[in-house]
Amino acid sequence: MPQPLRYAVFGHPIGHTKSPRIHQLFGDQFGIALTYEAIDAAPEAFADAVRRFFAEGGRGANVTLPHKGAAFALADERSEAAVRAGSANVLTRLADGRLAAHNTDGAGLVRDLAERHHVDLRGRDMLLLGAGGAARGVAWSLLDAGVASLTIVNRTPATADALADAIGEPARVRTRYWQDLAGIGSFDLVVNATSAGVLQQSLGLPPALVGARAVCCDLAYGAAAAPFLAWAQAAGASRAFDGLGMLVETAADAFELWHARRPATEPVYQALRPPA
Ligand code: NDP
């Protein structure tokens, strides 16, 4: 009997991950037998743990906090999206044993907003809160999807400036200081790419950021997204979403890279969605 194909997600901590369930549900759609482990690796142990996993027959791995930069660094080849973000959330073992790095965060978010939630991104003035790994993963994709302007605000301003410089479109992309948030106007797309929710910290956002037809989105999901979504609704957002759909979409991209088949994401999204 053939051994099931072996996959994993690396993170630290990793107890909260939904990725094993998502990949099992995708595999079930095609009758693919696979194992998908959650591997907790401290930063200093990450590179060795990844090499061991692939040396022992691993086919592919997802990578989450805090390892996305390290995953990018240890790969032998890198997709354009990974190079732009400087980080990777997918590692794939190639036929010759080398490792390929991909970053599917941006494509996943755009598909979740545009296809699942039918949000027309074109022409929107967008506020991006945060400039860490996830913000870098989604910024280019949202610009490619047609947002008119991108304002990046990060608690540490230098990181926002570095992202704006890397994008290199001064006519469309600007940065502002966090302490000036109350006076920078309103937006019709607000994306929270900070980890404040996960860390149970308050963002203290002014309601004036939310424009009349604004869509608000937190990349975090579940309880971590609840404070931002409550703020968005209280501030008058027309719609507000958490990052669960993005997570399922990014997983589908990884699955397709590994199995050359495109899983249906909606049934998996519905299976994971807590009842309203
Ligand atoms: P990083 O650690 O790389 O970046 C964290 C960002 O949050 C930084 O910009 C940091 O600012 C900011 N931040 C942290 N705490 C606060 C605070 N109290 N007030 C203001 N800003 C703060 O994390 P990631 O970018 O990888 O992840 C960010 C979020 O996105 C997480 O919630 C993560 O779960 C989510 N995510 C969701 C995905 C999905 O598929 N749905 C995929 C990837 C990420 P500073 O630079 O000043 O430290």
Side-chain angles (χ1 to χ4, degrees):
M1 201 158 130
Q3 289 289 311
L5 305 171
R6 195 173 165 219
Y7 301 89
V9 57
F10 289 85
H12 184 67
I14 196 64
H16 63 282
T17 182
K18 294 184 187 293
S19 295
R21 174 126 190 260
I22 294 172
H23 280 271
Q24 290 295 351
L25 290 170
F26 286 162
D28 290 348
Q29 293 180 14
F30 302 102
I32 294 173
L34 59 88
T35 66
Y36 191 108
E37 310 153 60
I39 299 179
D40 192 330
E44 60 279 9
F46 172 71
D48 283 347
V50 166
R51 290 200 184 91
R52 194 175 329 118
F53 171 76
F54 283 105
E56 290 171 353
R59 298 289 196 95
N62 286 117
V63 181
T64 186
L65 272 175
H67 299 313
K68 289 184 178 185
F72 176 81
L74 66 72
D76 301 297
E77 61 181 58
R78 303 167 177 100
S79 71
E80 186 188 341
V83 170
R84 291 194 307 196
S87 70
N89 64 339
V90 187
L91 291 172
T92 306
R93 187 182 186 279
L94 302 173
D96 61 7
R98 292 179 316 128
L99 287 185
H102 290 83
N103 189 314
T104 63
D105 281 344
L109 176 62
V110 167
R111 239 182 5 259
D112 178 53
L113 290 174
E115 295 179 18
R116 173 167 295 105
H117 298 299
H118 307 291
V119 174
D120 188 351
L121 294 165
R122 291 170 301 175
R124 288 187 184 259
D125 291 314
M126 173 181 162
L127 174 64
L128 179 61
L129 298 165
R136 288 189 77 94
V138 303
W140 278 269
S141 301
L142 289 160
L143 286 165
D144 290 348
V147 302
S149 71
L150 171 61
T151 300
I152 308 168
V153 179
N154 194 46
R155 182 178 60 180
T156 307
T159 321
D161 289 340
L163 175 53
D165 288 349
I167 295 169
E169 284 194 62
R172 272 171 101 194
V173 181
R174 62 178 189 161
T175 59
R176 290 292 180 265
Y177 291 117
W178 194 279
Q179 62 267 29
D180 295 339
L181 273 174
I184 62 170
S186 66
F187 298 85
D188 41 27
L189 177 63
V190 181
V191 173
N192 180 20
T194 75
S195 51
V198 173
L199 301 171
Q200 297 183 307
Q201 294 170 356
S202 169
L203 286 172
L205 299 172
L209 293 171
V210 176
R213 60 167 195 146
V215 169
C216 295
C217 177
D218 196 330
L219 303 193
Y221 47 84
F228 177 81
L229 298 183
W231 166 81
Q233 271 147 12
S238 69
R239 302 171 76 197
F241 311 109
D242 75 0
L244 181 63
M246 170 183 170
L247 179 75
V248 175
E249 294 303 321
T250 60
D253 285 341
F255 188 93
E256 188 173 14
L257 282 165
W258 298 338
H259 303 282
R261 294 183 203 191
R262 186 86 202 157
T265 54
E266 192 55 24
V268 176
Y269 175 73
Q270 293 302 340
L272 268 67
R273 181 93 270 170

